Amino acid sequence: MYTSNLANLLLNVDSYKASHWLQYPPETQYLSYYIEARSGELDVVMFGLQAFIKEYLSKPITQQDIDEAEQLLTAHGLPFNRAGWQRILQKYAGKLPLVIEAVPEGTVLPVGNVVCQIRNTDPEFFWLVGYLETALLRAVWYPSTVASVSYFCKQNIRDALVKSADHLDGLDFQLHDFGARGASSLETVALGGLAHLVNFKGTDSVSALVAANRWYHADAIAAFSIPAAEHSTITAWGRENEVNAYKNMVEQFAGEGKIYAVVSDSYDLWNALEHLWGNELKQLVEQRGGRLVIRPDSGEPTEVVCRCLEILAEKFGYTVNSKGYKVLPDFIRIIQGDGINRHSLPLILDAIMQKGFSVENVNFGMGGGLLQQINRDTMGWAMKASSICIADQWRDIYKDPITSQSKRSKKGVLALVKEQNGWKTIQQAELGERTNQLRPIFHNGELLVDDNLETIRHRVNMG
């Protein structure tokens, strides 16, 4: 029976990696690998590496880790480099003899550029660099992709607000994370939910708040939420008492400066808007103060949102802002959380404006589209070896498959520069007087850069 620890770094690996220490040329001393997003329509928002380093790489490996890995991997059918791992334990007290360079987290740059580079610092351990590919690539691609999707959505919302609203005051709260229950694991929620928070300040993923504090020094609350109804708290009253369920929400949560959300399509959304909210409860909503946010939760989003706006404008009135778009009274808004992803959001924004309404009337919630409807191919993430030192001679290594030019990899020890015409990946030998935007963040077991969330948010905003 094998009782290995999931947190054992030696087992955070693809099986075949365990045999690679025997496959490199004789007299190999150093290897350099890099990570990039190779393709896709999204700009890259680099995020999440610091969390991985703190949680996994900053902890020295132990004798127990080595023993567990040997037992499992040899039984699994693979050779195990026990002598190599024992030397790390003996020579470095279990700390990893590696240097990792990366672009600062929160940097926004086009696909096709190096964002991270790793190589060994001791020639005894050239094999260690490639061994970490599985864990390191995953640590970068997932949170960076979520941050990139979230950033893309924010730019679309910002553009729509610039066109249809007099201000951008609510932008940071206009896309809310609804993804916790649909995520594949607790760590997925923590990392993905936190990646969303580099762009926005609204979430229902509490794990993201814990992650912000654990990994990025978010001493204050990193994001906020509001009281909100779900279908069970509405339908518990029975269909015949639907209006009482809504009335209870107003009486419990309304008030000056307060915001509360009520799902209103458990039965007949149009009846709820026109007769229950628009007639029976209208005076109560207006008098109690705060802001009621009505949530439709079914139907085709562009049609449902627009019809909701038209009914609420008829029932509660509206003003016309300086851009010529209708704005509901401050005490009532809509949040659309069903069917939202990076593809549907721009269509809904356009539909709202085509109906003559300002986008400030509508907030959005994104669940699976934010945390789950992505994969490594969404942005073509890859980690590849690009340079090797054999017998004191560095040489470029790369792949160039004749069957797929998109999988051609970069050559050499790389650098990243930012010039007037944009970002460019070059070889370090070509740097000259230019500044390498890849900065050392990890060296021989020690974290060298420890950013806080606010610093990263500032970088994204500057992007």
Side-chain angles (χ1 to χ4, degrees), residues 365-381:
M366 190 182 292
L370 182 66
L371 302 187
Q372 285 294 131
Q373 292 173 17
I374 58 173
N375 55 47
R376 188 163 68 91
D377 292 333
T378 301
M379 301 180 71
W381 287 96

PDB file of all heavy atoms in Angstrom, residues 365-381:
ATOM      1  N   GLY A 365     -22.171  38.272 -13.636  1.00  0.00           N
ATOM      2  CA  GLY A 365     -21.518  37.224 -12.860  1.00  0.00           C
ATOM      3  C   GLY A 365     -21.024  36.160 -13.819  1.00  0.00           C
ATOM      4  O   GLY A 365     -21.725  35.793 -14.768  1.00  0.00           O
ATOM      5  N   MET A 366     -19.823  35.666 -13.599  1.00  0.00           N
ATOM      6  CA  MET A 366     -19.256  34.639 -14.480  1.00  0.00           C
ATOM      7  C   MET A 366     -18.755  33.481 -13.636  1.00  0.00           C
ATOM      8  O   MET A 366     -17.993  33.677 -12.693  1.00  0.00           O
ATOM      9  CB  MET A 366     -18.106  35.218 -15.320  1.00  0.00           C
ATOM     10  CG  MET A 366     -17.633  34.273 -16.417  1.00  0.00           C
ATOM     11  SD  MET A 366     -16.230  34.904 -17.382  1.00  0.00           S
ATOM     12  CE  MET A 366     -16.980  36.268 -18.258  1.00  0.00           C
ATOM     13  N   GLY A 367     -19.212  32.288 -13.945  1.00  0.00           N
ATOM     14  CA  GLY A 367     -18.835  31.101 -13.188  1.00  0.00           C
ATOM     15  C   GLY A 367     -17.903  30.215 -13.968  1.00  0.00           C
ATOM     16  O   GLY A 367     -16.686  30.404 -14.004  1.00  0.00           O
ATOM     17  N   GLY A 368     -18.478  29.213 -14.658  1.00  0.00           N
ATOM     18  CA  GLY A 368     -17.661  28.299 -15.441  1.00  0.00           C
ATOM     19  C   GLY A 368     -16.870  28.995 -16.523  1.00  0.00           C
ATOM     20  O   GLY A 368     -15.744  28.594 -16.840  1.00  0.00           O
ATOM     21  N   GLY A 369     -17.448  30.037 -17.107  1.00  0.00           N
ATOM     22  CA  GLY A 369     -16.744  30.769 -18.158  1.00  0.00           C
ATOM     23  C   GLY A 369     -15.474  31.427 -17.674  1.00  0.00           C
ATOM     24  O   GLY A 369     -14.575  31.704 -18.460  1.00  0.00           O
ATOM     25  N   LEU A 370     -15.387  31.658 -16.378  1.00  0.00           N
ATOM     26  CA  LEU A 370     -14.207  32.289 -15.797  1.00  0.00           C
ATOM     27  C   LEU A 370     -13.185  31.265 -15.319  1.00  0.00           C
ATOM     28  O   LEU A 370     -11.998  31.369 -15.634  1.00  0.00           O
ATOM     29  CB  LEU A 370     -14.632  33.179 -14.623  1.00  0.00           C
ATOM     30  CG  LEU A 370     -13.535  33.955 -13.914  1.00  0.00           C
ATOM     31  CD1 LEU A 370     -12.930  35.009 -14.828  1.00  0.00           C
ATOM     32  CD2 LEU A 370     -14.092  34.628 -12.649  1.00  0.00           C
ATOM     33  N   LEU A 371     -13.632  30.268 -14.560  1.00  0.00           N
ATOM     34  CA  LEU A 371     -12.707  29.355 -13.888  1.00  0.00           C
ATOM     35  C   LEU A 371     -12.558  27.990 -14.556  1.00  0.00           C
ATOM     36  O   LEU A 371     -11.583  27.295 -14.302  1.00  0.00           O
ATOM     37  CB  LEU A 371     -13.154  29.128 -12.434  1.00  0.00           C
ATOM     38  CG  LEU A 371     -13.278  30.361 -11.547  1.00  0.00           C
ATOM     39  CD1 LEU A 371     -13.554  29.946 -10.102  1.00  0.00           C
ATOM     40  CD2 LEU A 371     -12.030  31.230 -11.615  1.00  0.00           C
ATOM     41  N   GLN A 372     -13.512  27.595 -15.416  1.00  0.00           N
ATOM     42  CA  GLN A 372     -13.487  26.223 -15.922  1.00  0.00           C
ATOM     43  C   GLN A 372     -13.472  26.095 -17.436  1.00  0.00           C
ATOM     44  O   GLN A 372     -12.947  25.111 -17.956  1.00  0.00           O
ATOM     45  CB  GLN A 372     -14.682  25.440 -15.379  1.00  0.00           C
ATOM     46  CG  GLN A 372     -14.554  25.042 -13.927  1.00  0.00           C
ATOM     47  CD  GLN A 372     -13.437  24.043 -13.683  1.00  0.00           C
ATOM     48  OE1 GLN A 372     -12.621  24.209 -12.793  1.00  0.00           O
ATOM     49  NE2 GLN A 372     -13.367  22.992 -14.466  1.00  0.00           N
ATOM     50  N   GLN A 373     -14.035  27.030 -18.159  1.00  0.00           N
ATOM     51  CA  GLN A 373     -14.129  26.882 -19.615  1.00  0.00           C
ATOM     52  C   GLN A 373     -12.854  27.359 -20.302  1.00  0.00           C
ATOM     53  O   GLN A 373     -12.879  28.095 -21.294  1.00  0.00           O
ATOM     54  CB  GLN A 373     -15.359  27.632 -20.135  1.00  0.00           C
ATOM     55  CG  GLN A 373     -16.667  27.012 -19.688  1.00  0.00           C
ATOM     56  CD  GLN A 373     -17.866  27.861 -20.069  1.00  0.00           C
ATOM     57  OE1 GLN A 373     -17.788  28.746 -20.917  1.00  0.00           O
ATOM     58  NE2 GLN A 373     -18.995  27.604 -19.422  1.00  0.00           N
ATOM     59  N   ILE A 374     -11.750  26.956 -19.745  1.00  0.00           N
ATOM     60  CA  ILE A 374     -10.432  27.259 -20.309  1.00  0.00           C
ATOM     61  C   ILE A 374      -9.570  26.014 -20.181  1.00  0.00           C
ATOM     62  O   ILE A 374      -9.856  25.124 -19.380  1.00  0.00           O
ATOM     63  CB  ILE A 374      -9.739  28.443 -19.584  1.00  0.00           C
ATOM     64  CG1 ILE A 374      -9.589  28.127 -18.088  1.00  0.00           C
ATOM     65  CG2 ILE A 374     -10.510  29.735 -19.779  1.00  0.00           C
ATOM     66  CD1 ILE A 374      -8.773  29.147 -17.328  1.00  0.00           C
ATOM     67  N   ASN A 375      -8.521  25.947 -20.975  1.00  0.00           N
ATOM     68  CA  ASN A 375      -7.536  24.883 -20.828  1.00  0.00           C
ATOM     69  C   ASN A 375      -6.191  25.412 -21.321  1.00  0.00           C
ATOM     70  O   ASN A 375      -6.069  26.574 -21.705  1.00  0.00           O
ATOM     71  CB  ASN A 375      -7.960  23.604 -21.555  1.00  0.00           C
ATOM     72  CG  ASN A 375      -8.258  23.846 -23.028  1.00  0.00           C
ATOM     73  OD1 ASN A 375      -7.487  24.510 -23.737  1.00  0.00           O
ATOM     74  ND2 ASN A 375      -9.389  23.327 -23.500  1.00  0.00           N
ATOM     75  N   ARG A 376      -5.198  24.552 -21.317  1.00  0.00           N
ATOM     76  CA  ARG A 376      -3.852  25.002 -21.697  1.00  0.00           C
ATOM     77  C   ARG A 376      -3.800  25.497 -23.134  1.00  0.00           C
ATOM     78  O   ARG A 376      -2.996  26.376 -23.488  1.00  0.00           O
ATOM     79  CB  ARG A 376      -2.850  23.863 -21.475  1.00  0.00           C
ATOM     80  CG  ARG A 376      -1.400  24.278 -21.659  1.00  0.00           C
ATOM     81  CD  ARG A 376      -0.457  23.260 -21.048  1.00  0.00           C
ATOM     82  NE  ARG A 376      -0.441  21.997 -21.743  1.00  0.00           N
ATOM     83  CZ  ARG A 376       0.384  21.682 -22.733  1.00  0.00           C
ATOM     84  NH1 ARG A 376       1.253  22.581 -23.181  1.00  0.00           N
ATOM     85  NH2 ARG A 376       0.348  20.492 -23.286  1.00  0.00           N
ATOM     86  N   ASP A 377      -4.706  24.970 -23.973  1.00  0.00           N
ATOM     87  CA  ASP A 377      -4.727  25.372 -25.378  1.00  0.00           C
ATOM     88  C   ASP A 377      -5.461  26.685 -25.616  1.00  0.00           C
ATOM     89  O   ASP A 377      -5.391  27.229 -26.725  1.00  0.00           O
ATOM     90  CB  ASP A 377      -5.377  24.279 -26.224  1.00  0.00           C
ATOM     91  CG  ASP A 377      -4.524  23.022 -26.288  1.00  0.00           C
ATOM     92  OD1 ASP A 377      -3.293  23.154 -26.155  1.00  0.00           O
ATOM     93  OD2 ASP A 377      -5.082  21.927 -26.458  1.00  0.00           O
ATOM     94  N   THR A 378      -6.175  27.198 -24.625  1.00  0.00           N
ATOM     95  CA  THR A 378      -6.876  28.475 -24.794  1.00  0.00           C
ATOM     96  C   THR A 378      -5.903  29.557 -25.254  1.00  0.00           C
ATOM     97  O   THR A 378      -6.239  30.397 -26.087  1.00  0.00           O
ATOM     98  CB  THR A 378      -7.549  28.903 -23.478  1.00  0.00           C
ATOM     99  OG1 THR A 378      -8.484  27.892 -23.075  1.00  0.00           O
ATOM    100  CG2 THR A 378      -8.272  30.229 -23.629  1.00  0.00           C
ATOM    101  N   MET A 379      -4.685  29.524 -24.698  1.00  0.00           N
ATOM    102  CA  MET A 379      -3.666  30.494 -25.091  1.00  0.00           C
ATOM    103  C   MET A 379      -2.397  29.808 -25.589  1.00  0.00           C
ATOM    104  O   MET A 379      -1.359  30.457 -25.741  1.00  0.00           O
ATOM    105  CB  MET A 379      -3.353  31.425 -23.915  1.00  0.00           C
ATOM    106  CG  MET A 379      -4.571  32.191 -23.411  1.00  0.00           C
ATOM    107  SD  MET A 379      -4.219  33.300 -22.032  1.00  0.00           S
ATOM    108  CE  MET A 379      -3.270  34.582 -22.869  1.00  0.00           C
ATOM    109  N   GLY A 380      -2.480  28.500 -25.809  1.00  0.00           N
ATOM    110  CA  GLY A 380      -1.334  27.774 -26.362  1.00  0.00           C
ATOM    111  C   GLY A 380      -0.123  27.757 -25.443  1.00  0.00           C
ATOM    112  O   GLY A 380       1.020  27.852 -25.912  1.00  0.00           O
ATOM    113  N   TRP A 381      -0.339  27.582 -24.138  1.00  0.00           N
ATOM    114  CA  TRP A 381       0.786  27.623 -23.199  1.00  0.00           C
ATOM    115  C   TRP A 381       1.729  26.434 -23.393  1.00  0.00           C
ATOM    116  O   TRP A 381       1.296  25.304 -23.629  1.00  0.00           O
ATOM    117  CB  TRP A 381       0.275  27.613 -21.766  1.00  0.00           C
ATOM    118  CG  TRP A 381      -0.349  28.906 -21.337  1.00  0.00           C
ATOM    119  CD1 TRP A 381      -1.668  29.227 -21.343  1.00  0.00           C
ATOM    120  CD2 TRP A 381       0.350  30.061 -20.835  1.00  0.00           C
ATOM    121  NE1 TRP A 381      -1.849  30.516 -20.875  1.00  0.00           N
ATOM    122  CE2 TRP A 381      -0.634  31.035 -20.551  1.00  0.00           C
ATOM    123  CE3 TRP A 381       1.696  30.350 -20.599  1.00  0.00           C
ATOM    124  CZ2 TRP A 381      -0.302  32.294 -20.048  1.00  0.00           C
ATOM    125  CZ3 TRP A 381       2.010  31.593 -20.095  1.00  0.00           C
ATOM    126  CH2 TRP A 381       1.031  32.561 -19.822  1.00  0.00           C
TER     127      TRP A 381
END
